[in-house]
Amino acid sequence: AQKITQTQPGMFVQEKEAVTLDCTYDTSDPSYGLFWYKQPSSGEMIFLIYQGSYDQQNATEGRYSLNFQKARKSANLVISASQLGDSAMYFCAMREEETSGSRLTFGEGTQLTVNP
Amino acid sequence: EAGVTQFPSHSVIEKGQTVTLRCDPISGHDNLYWYRRVMGKEIKFLLHFVKESKQDESGMPNNRFLAERTGGTYSTLKVQPAELEDSGVYFCASSQVSGRIVNEQFFGPGTRLTVL
């Protein structure tokens, strides 16, 4: 079974609008962390935001916020006020503290295109 | 501060040949990880070093892959002999050993390997 599922292979959004990228996960580990990374066309992977399984509040980092719904096992990334530079591949990843230590398990990614 | 660097950025080899990929982590980062993304699929974990020791090599696909991290600084990943299915992008990441809960992994730009 997939541990990280990103159901949107591609997403389009108009500049200045908000967009939500979906991520659901599957784990029985009580302690885990969820990450979002951005990969622009240049290839590097850029860390965006982190949510811990015990965090009471949704994580926010500038224009990025994570809509964490623990009971539904979802960790959707919300990008507000989209910019042309947000066009990139976005990966959701999970770290299961007890099961697999510090390694990350990734989803297949969502290609976001921001239209002017 | 320099980020994670990888060399080469691209490599094209023929089936049966040997290729060695190199990763230089961020200075002071004891954790070093190798991942790869094959043919548009999800990024998969290969192995994890803590300093010069292999902490977890459960993701290594077979014995044609050999990773080393002599002296606990840079790491090499050798594929010998290369097969067609080894084509993909090989990412290296590093992180600190710290008490920070996030402890995010910083990724290099990847090496794109093509086996013909």
Side-chain angles (χ1 to χ4, degrees), chain A residues 20-113:
Chain A
T20 298
L21 306 184
D22 294 342
C23 174
T24 57
Y25 59 92
D26 182 24
T27 182
S28 55
D29 200 317
S31 179
Y32 54 91
L34 297 155
F35 299 77
W36 278 92
Y37 283 85
K38 172 185 177 181
Q39 186 186 36
S41 57
S42 51
E44 75 273 25
M45 295 271 285
I46 303 166
F47 165 73
L48 297 178
I49 196 167
Y50 166 85
Q51 181 83 45
S53 58
Y54 293 116
D55 292 343
Q56 296 296 315
Q57 293 187 328
N58 287 344
T60 61
E61 287 286 348
R63 294 187 298 111
Y64 304 108
S65 61
L66 205 151
N67 183 4
F68 181 47
Q69 298 189 43
K70 194 170 182 178
R72 296 181 60 184
K73 293 189 174 179
S74 73
N76 299 339
L77 177 70
V78 180
I79 305 175
S80 63
S82 297
Q83 302 172 356
L84 296 179
D86 294 334
S87 292
M89 181 72 83
Y90 288 80
F91 292 98
C92 179
M94 176 171 63
R95 181 178 69 210
E96 297 169 281
E97 307 291 348
E98 295 182 12
T99 308
S100 48
S102 60
R103 68 178 182 185
L104 297 176
T105 302
F106 286 85
E108 293 193 1
T110 295
Q111 180 69 48
L112 176 66
T113 302

Side-chain angles (χ1 to χ4, degrees), chain B residues 3-78:
Chain B
V4 177
T5 58
Q6 293 187 244
F7 183 82
S9 56
H10 293 83
S11 180
V12 181
I13 61 172
E14 295 197 348
K15 176 182 172 181
Q17 289 185 322
T18 297
V19 64
T20 300
L21 314 180
R22 174 172 169 142
C23 168
D24 286 78
I26 293 172
S27 178
H29 281 194
D30 287 338
N31 289 303
L32 188 150
Y33 307 81
W34 283 98
Y35 295 86
R36 74 172 178 178
R37 188 177 187 216
V38 174
M39 288 298 291
K41 292 186 179 289
E42 70 270 25
I43 300 167
K44 286 195 172 181
F45 167 82
L46 294 178
L47 88 159
H48 169 208
F49 284 99
V50 177
K51 296 185 179 179
E52 66 274 12
S53 299
K54 292 176 184 174
Q55 181 79 10
D56 180 358
E57 52 184 329
S58 61
M60 294 288 264
N62 52 61
N63 59 10
R64 295 185 293 104
F65 289 75
L66 175 64
E68 295 181 323
R69 194 183 181 193
T70 307
T73 54
Y74 71 91
S75 174
T76 57
L77 179 65
K78 181 192 292 187

